[in-house]
Amino acid sequence: MKSTIPRAVETLVVHGCSPLDTPDVAPPIHMSSTFRFPDADTATRVFEGSESGYVYSRIGNPTVDLFQEKMARIEGAEASVAVGSGMAAVSSMALTLSKPGDSFISCTTLYGGTFALFKTHLPSFGIHSRFVQPLAQLTKKQLGALVDHTTRFMFLETPANPTLAILDISLWAEVAGDHGIPLVVDNTFATPYLQQPISLGANLVVHSATKYLGGHADLIGGVIVGDASLVNRIHTEHVHHFGPIMNPFNAWLLLRGLKTLAVRMQRHCANAEAIARYLERHPKVVRVYYPGLSSHPGHTVAKRQMAGFGGMISFEVKGDVASGKRVMDSVRLCTLAVSLGDCDTLIQHPASMTHATYSRSDRMRAGISDGLIRLSVGIEHVDDIIEDIDQALASV
Ligand SMILES: *Cc1c(COP(=O)(O)O)cnc(C)c1O
């Protein structure tokens, strides 16, 4: 981009990278592990840090840099570091910001892998999470009361997986700010097209780039964006030494996927809204969780902090787990698969699949019932998706 004038996300997803120094319109993929120096003096200066330059692809790669630059711009952040998966983003952040004896605050409703990391694996490094219920009416005072001298950061996911619970990012940011600790937001479900946590006071944003950012179910990737001081620490203290880097081909796929992020999200949102309204009226559906419905407890906060309500819906079918399973076995167009944010509509059962990492009591506390079905609404024609769900519900 020639200009430094802030642009709309729709424009930045297409143009938000520095101009290439080659005539390519699509960026080349730099599949090189190491980079040649013109002479020994240049090599010395690059190693001293007095001159910038590429050395080795674990430290920096031109294709990965373009993706990082675009992500920082579309999130309105100072810096960004790309990593090998969404879990690498979460774990790299946590292992940089906290050490043995430290703690942090997070929620009971989280991506299944994140919950397992926080509940089971970080404690073996001496790092513990305090979990709060993702209640819409949580106050500053209640949240602040959980912070003590060991608290190093606060972490939340909104909309949260899989109940689409909505947390008030500004409120959490105020509490974190009052205590001088960073707020980290997992923005995977919303994407920067619908929600910009940095502008709401968050210090770091993590993503599973595997989902909407890539958008085509063809890669695993992650990214951390936010305040330069924090991102640089994660990059140099953790990513350089633990090595969870993103490869150049996935960065290239992401640069390609990002170009259509805005138009894909528009369709995901429009389809999901129509499907949520259809499900809400269906006699065999007991409950629908979609932040765009006024029946959703987080609707007001979602309206304030999101530009749209996203493409994820969860719903409970009348009956037991078997009824839910029958729906999933009866779909013909929708794909029975985990993950989300793909162009295809994906359907899955959190209790037996993505959230099997939870004990039953943790699952109940997080509001993830046995019969809950999660739908990642794709970009197909909405009538075709509804027709498929309709015939599947008829089998119950
Ligand atoms: C998928 C996901 C992750 C983990 O990302 P991977 O790319 O699978 O490692 C983290 N958070 C959320 C909200 C996710 O949906």
Side-chain angles (χ1 to χ4, degrees):
M1 293 242 324
K2 291 180 192 75
S3 133
T4 53
I5 302 166
R7 306 253 186 187
V9 177
E10 289 88 338
T11 307
L12 290 174
V13 292
V14 180
H15 292 286
C17 289
S18 303
L20 300 167
D21 49 15
T22 63
D24 301 275
V25 171
I29 311 173
H30 291 267
M31 294 300 282
S32 192
S33 59
T34 190
F35 298 91
R36 179 165 37 81
F37 295 103
D39 51 61
D41 281 344
T42 309
T44 306
R45 286 194 301 276
V46 170
F47 271 85
E48 276 170 3
S50 62
E51 188 175 317
S52 64
Y54 290 104
V55 173
Y56 184 64
S57 277
R58 176 160 44 73
I59 312 296
N61 174 282
T63 315
V64 176
D65 275 3
L66 284 178
F67 170 64
Q68 291 177 166
E69 182 187 357
K70 190 176 265 193
M71 278 309 301
R73 290 213 191 164
I74 66 180
E75 284 282 7
E78 293 170 353
S80 142
V81 55
V83 287
S85 67
M87 288 314 302
V90 177
S91 61
S92 302
M93 174 281 300
L95 290 170
T96 307
L97 301 189
S98 54
K99 300 294 170 222
D102 289 343
S103 71
F104 63 95
I105 291 165
S106 69
C107 272
T108 51
T109 312
L110 290 170
Y111 176 72
T114 305
F115 183 74
L117 176 74
F118 289 177
K119 176 97 183 181
T120 311
H121 302 290
L122 286 180
S124 69
F125 290 83
I127 300 163
H128 294 269
S129 173
R130 295 203 179 103
F131 293 99
V132 300
Q133 298 271 98
L135 302 172
Q137 64 275 29
L138 200 67
T139 65
K140 267 184 79 172
K141 203 164 157 216
Q142 287 169 318
L143 205 49
L146 296 166
V147 181
D148 70 15
H149 68 283
T150 68
T151 313
R152 293 292 169 262
F153 64 91
M154 296 171 79
F155 181 96
L156 68 90
E157 200 177 290
T158 183
N161 191 357
T163 57
L164 289 314
I166 300 290
L167 291 164
D168 187 333
I169 298 174
S170 304
L171 182 130
W172 279 61
E174 275 177 47
V175 175
D178 287 349
H179 291 88
I181 53 174
L183 172 65
V184 186
V185 175
D186 185 330
N187 204 26
T188 301
F189 271 40
T191 82
Y193 181 63
L194 300 179
Q195 174 173 283
Q196 303 205 304
I198 302 289
S199 73
L200 298 168
N203 305 93
L204 286 173
V205 169
V206 295
H207 277 282
S208 169
T210 313
K211 316 294 169 52
Y212 290 106
L213 302 183
H216 295 73
D218 52 10
L219 68 98
I220 299 281
V223 63
I224 305 154
V225 300
D227 300 353
S229 58
L230 295 170
V231 169
N232 292 341
R233 272 187 63 203
I234 296 167
H235 204 162
T236 56
E237 290 175 28
H238 187 91
V239 178
H240 284 188
H241 299 100
F242 287 74
I245 56 157
M246 172 174 285
N247 75 61
F249 183 59
N250 282 4
W252 184 86
L253 283 173
L254 281 160
L255 285 163
R256 177 183 157 112
L258 279 176
K259 292 219 178 198
T260 56
L261 178 71
V263 289
R264 282 187 285 109
M265 291 314 292
Q266 287 163 12
R267 176 65 79 90
H268 284 300
C269 288
N271 281 358
E273 199 146 341
I275 293 166
R277 292 193 195 290
Y278 154 82
L279 288 170
E280 204 177 33
R281 287 189 307 266
H282 200 289
K284 287 185 184 162
V285 174
V286 185
R287 198 165 162 195
V288 183
Y289 301 81
Y290 184 66
L293 297 175
S294 54
S295 59
H296 191 286
H299 180 64
T300 313
V301 176
K303 225 163 49 184
R304 193 171 70 227
Q305 70 187 15
M306 300 177 79
F309 301 107
M312 300 298 298
I313 302 174
S314 290
F315 62 101
E316 278 165 36
V317 179
K318 234 179 216 159
D320 50 13
V321 186
S323 321
K325 284 195 164 164
R326 192 152 329 120
V327 172
M328 288 187 292
D329 280 333
S330 308
V331 288
R332 293 178 198 146
L333 180 76
C334 304
T335 306
L336 174 57
V338 300
S339 197
L340 58 110
D342 184 13
C343 293
D344 304 27
T345 298
L346 307 177
I347 190 166
Q348 68 107 2
H349 180 229
S352 67
M353 295 168 69
T354 51
H355 289 70
T357 54
Y358 280 63
S359 68
R360 192 164 188 284
S361 62
D362 281 341
R363 203 157 44 70
M364 291 303 131
R365 215 169 303 131
I368 307 164
S369 64
D370 289 337
L372 194 73
I373 292 177
R374 195 190 75 181
L375 207 58
S376 169
V377 177
I379 62 169
E380 303 96 333
H381 197 292
V382 68
D383 292 350
D384 290 331
I385 308 171
I386 290 179
E387 191 183 289
D388 188 38
I389 298 171
D390 203 58
Q391 64 81 25
L393 282 170
S395 72
V396 177

